[in-house]
Amino acid sequence: APPPAPPVAVAAAPAAAYDSRAAAMRLPGAPGYAAPAAPHAPPAAAPTPPAAAGGMAPRPAATPTNNGLSSSESLVDAISTASTTAALAEALREVEQWQWTSDQEAGMKRCKTYVPEQPALAAFYVSSVNEWKLLQPRVLVLTPSSYFRVKYDQKSGKVEHYRKTPLRDVLSLEKTADGLKIYLRGQDGRAGPQKWYQRLERKVAQISTGSKDNAFSGRVKDEFYYAREYRPSLPAGAPLSADQVTDVLAAALHKTAELHRDSLPADGAPFEPPPVLTTDERRQILHDRKAAARAEEERAEREAAEAELRHAVEVASASRELEPKTSSQINSAVLSRPIKRARRAVEADASLISRAEQLKAELEEEHRVRVEAERLERERAEREAATAELEAACTQAAASRDATSLSRSLKRARRAVDVSEELLGRGEALKAEIEAEIKAAREAAEEAERERKRAEREERERVERDAATAELE
């Protein structure tokens, strides 16, 4: 019995599968692929075997046509099972049988013969989306090693110009809601306003920092950076939908690249055929890649934070073993920043963080106790020194009756903690006594000076009076 058919929606390819290319293409024969059941097939019909490796991703049901083409799936399967370029060209001959107009048929024939690389396997009328998001009518011509985007003028019947893209430059094919987006190794055509703005932003960042190696915060140039989108231009009365034509175009590009790779010599530069993705798959790939990069950054940050915290724990633990040690040697601050960093790190070692926090708390308590003990010791030493100085000053002041040194000693003793109140009182009394004596002596001297001046004045007045009397007489 065949395996059960999966839903039509293609599951998102993980980043690891995409890197291996085969699984991400979700092609028949790729790992994890199961052929979808054909909705239009009768229930009693035998199950359709999966196509050979290298085919397209599961497609929606096709509509019967009037020109011998039963469905787009039959043409895609024929393209996918082609083993040679000749077989692929024969399968793509069905494209010429679509109901093109006479002008379109003439244009396809002219473009196929105009391109310099032959043979031309097929031609498709498409609308190319340029850098300004404008639709430009073009003809895509597929050859064994390249495809050409040709501008053909139906009125004049002439080819105006073309652009060649080697198949080895195609990185992936994305089936969008409107058509097919081809991702390339380099820019196809002009860059467009979005990339201009990104270049300008990068240049401004470099000028502002003065460094050409400034990290650019814009979009990273991955394999989905350079793209050109094509939307199928259906012929008049076409039996196929735009989605089915996109399937045919994507299958032709993928199979041609696969045959071109197989035809290259073994010692040549290898390349992988472009995988066919959906928009959801591409977004899932980028999401998985970003998640993997974020997980790697978190792992690197976690290991760095844990290493820094272990080193800080060693340094902090070593500071506890110093004998004798001071409060400044108890290094608890060295743990603060590493602990914060480890807390911010994702899934950091909780036991290491807990041990570091406990050590930090113990060191902070030891530091507090040590600071308090050092403070008390400083107060004791200062108290004893101030007491000894005050006692010496009291003895000296009592002998010399000079309170200058006693005043300085009293100020120091007042600042000191727990100095004897009796000693302070004795010093204050002695100072007051000496100051009173000094004040009394000063007042006596001032009074004697006043008396001397009064006597001198009276003597001068007497002399002047005697002289004036004698002169008058």
Side-chain angles (χ1 to χ4, degrees):
V8 176
V10 182
Y18 175 75
D19 293 338
S20 65
R21 296 289 184 181
M25 285 189 281
R26 298 297 188 194
L27 302 177
Y33 172 81
H40 59 276
T48 303
M56 285 297 300
R59 294 164 299 281
T63 306
T65 66
N66 298 326
N67 55 3
L69 191 62
S70 61
S71 69
S72 66
E73 290 190 357
S74 61
L75 177 54
V76 170
D77 291 339
I79 293 172
S80 302
T81 55
S83 58
T84 62
T85 303
L88 178 60
E90 183 64 27
L92 289 173
R93 203 178 299 276
E94 294 285 349
V95 178
E96 300 178 359
Q97 300 177 10
W98 293 351
Q99 297 176 359
W100 305 101
T101 63
S102 58
D103 291 338
Q104 289 176 334
E105 290 179 356
M108 292 167 59
K109 183 178 180 181
R110 175 59 179 149
C111 293
K112 289 172 68 174
T113 57
Y114 185 85
V115 295
E117 186 177 314
Q118 296 294 329
L121 303 178
F124 297 86
Y125 261 93
V126 295
S127 295
S128 174
V129 182
N130 68 2
E131 65 273 10
W132 297 98
K133 305 302 180 184
L134 299 178
L135 299 180
Q136 297 174 319
R138 296 291 185 268
V139 178
L140 278 187
V141 179
L142 184 61
T143 64
S145 63
S146 307
Y147 71 87
F148 294 80
R149 184 174 70 250
V150 185
K151 183 178 181 181
Y152 174 75
D153 188 358
Q154 291 187 3
K155 293 182 179 180
S156 63
K158 295 182 179 180
V159 173
E160 296 187 2
H161 59 80
Y162 67 86
R163 183 179 181 85
K164 176 184 176 180
T165 303
L167 291 176
R168 65 168 52 252
D169 291 342
V170 180
L171 298 178
S172 60
L173 306 171
E174 178 186 337
K175 183 179 176 183
T176 65
D178 300 319
L180 183 68
K181 188 176 288 188
I182 302 178
Y183 294 98
L184 305 167
R185 296 184 186 276
Q187 183 65 45
D188 185 3
R190 294 182 176 87
Q194 183 176 5
K195 292 188 175 66
W196 297 344
Y197 176 76
Q198 292 176 353
R199 292 174 184 172
L200 178 61
E201 184 180 1
R202 184 185 299 109
K203 189 66 176 178
V204 170
Q206 292 174 354
I207 293 174
S208 61
T209 58
S211 172
K212 294 184 178 181
D213 299 330
N214 181 63
F216 178 52
S217 60
R219 180 181 171 186
V220 178
K221 290 186 178 181
D222 52 18
E223 69 272 31
F224 302 116
Y225 187 77
Y226 298 107
R228 172 70 69 163
E229 185 176 0
Y230 299 98
R231 299 177 184 178
S233 296
L234 300 177
L240 301 180
S241 65
D243 188 66
Q244 292 167 329
V245 175
T246 301
D247 287 340
V248 174
L249 177 58
L253 286 169
H254 172 78
K255 191 62 181 181
T256 306
E258 185 180 89
L259 294 176
H260 178 52
R261 178 202 60 184
D262 296 340
S263 66
L264 294 177
D267 56 349
F271 80 97
E272 291 296 331
V276 182
L277 309 170
T278 63
T279 301
D280 290 339
E281 286 177 330
R282 175 181 61 81
R283 291 173 178 170
Q284 185 64 37
I285 289 170
L286 295 176
H287 177 271
D288 294 344
R289 185 175 302 167
K290 186 179 295 185
R294 183 172 61 251
E296 177 62 22
E297 291 178 359
E298 292 174 351
R299 182 199 62 78
E301 174 62 19
R302 177 171 60 252
E303 293 180 355
E306 290 177 352
E308 182 182 3
L309 184 56
R310 289 191 184 94
H311 176 70
V313 168
E314 294 175 358
V315 173
S317 300
S319 69
R320 307 180 70 180
E321 301 173 359
L322 297 176
E323 290 296 340
K325 60 185 175 182
T326 62
S327 60
S328 60
Q329 293 173 327
I330 302 177
N331 197 355
S332 63
V334 72
L335 291 169
S336 299
R337 183 177 176 275
I339 288 177
K340 290 180 180 179
R341 184 180 181 184
R343 286 173 182 163
R344 289 194 301 267
V346 179
E347 297 180 358
D349 189 352
S351 61
L352 177 61
I353 297 176
S354 176
R355 182 157 54 91
E357 289 177 342
Q358 182 179 0
L359 176 60
K360 182 174 181 291
E362 293 174 356
L363 289 175
E364 288 176 348
E365 179 62 22
E366 290 184 11
H367 182 268
R368 187 190 66 77
V369 173
R370 178 65 62 176
V371 168
E372 181 67 17
E374 291 175 355
R375 183 183 66 81
L376 295 176
E377 177 62 23
R378 288 194 303 270
E379 291 176 353
R380 183 197 63 78
E382 176 63 17
R383 179 172 60 252
E384 292 179 355
T387 300
E389 181 181 349
L390 182 56
E391 289 177 347
C394 288
T395 303
Q396 181 182 2
S400 63
R401 313 308 292 179
D402 184 6
T404 304
S405 60
L406 182 59
S407 299
R408 290 195 302 268
S409 300
L410 282 172
K411 289 180 180 179
R412 181 181 181 184
R414 291 192 193 102
R415 289 195 299 267
V417 179
D418 295 337
V419 176
S420 172
E421 294 293 335
E422 185 271 333
L423 179 60
L424 286 173
R426 184 155 50 90
E428 292 287 350
L430 179 59
K431 179 186 175 185
E433 180 182 346
I434 293 175
E435 288 178 349
E437 291 178 359
I438 294 173
K439 182 179 179 181
R442 185 175 61 251
E443 290 178 351
E446 291 175 354
E447 182 64 25
E449 180 68 17
R450 285 195 297 272
E451 289 296 330
R452 184 185 63 78
K453 289 181 180 180
R454 185 173 60 253
E456 289 178 355
R457 186 178 66 255
E458 290 177 352
E459 180 63 22
R460 286 195 302 271
E461 291 175 353
R462 183 189 65 76
V463 171
E464 178 64 22
R465 183 173 58 252
D466 292 344
T469 300
E471 181 181 359
L472 181 60
E473 289 177 354

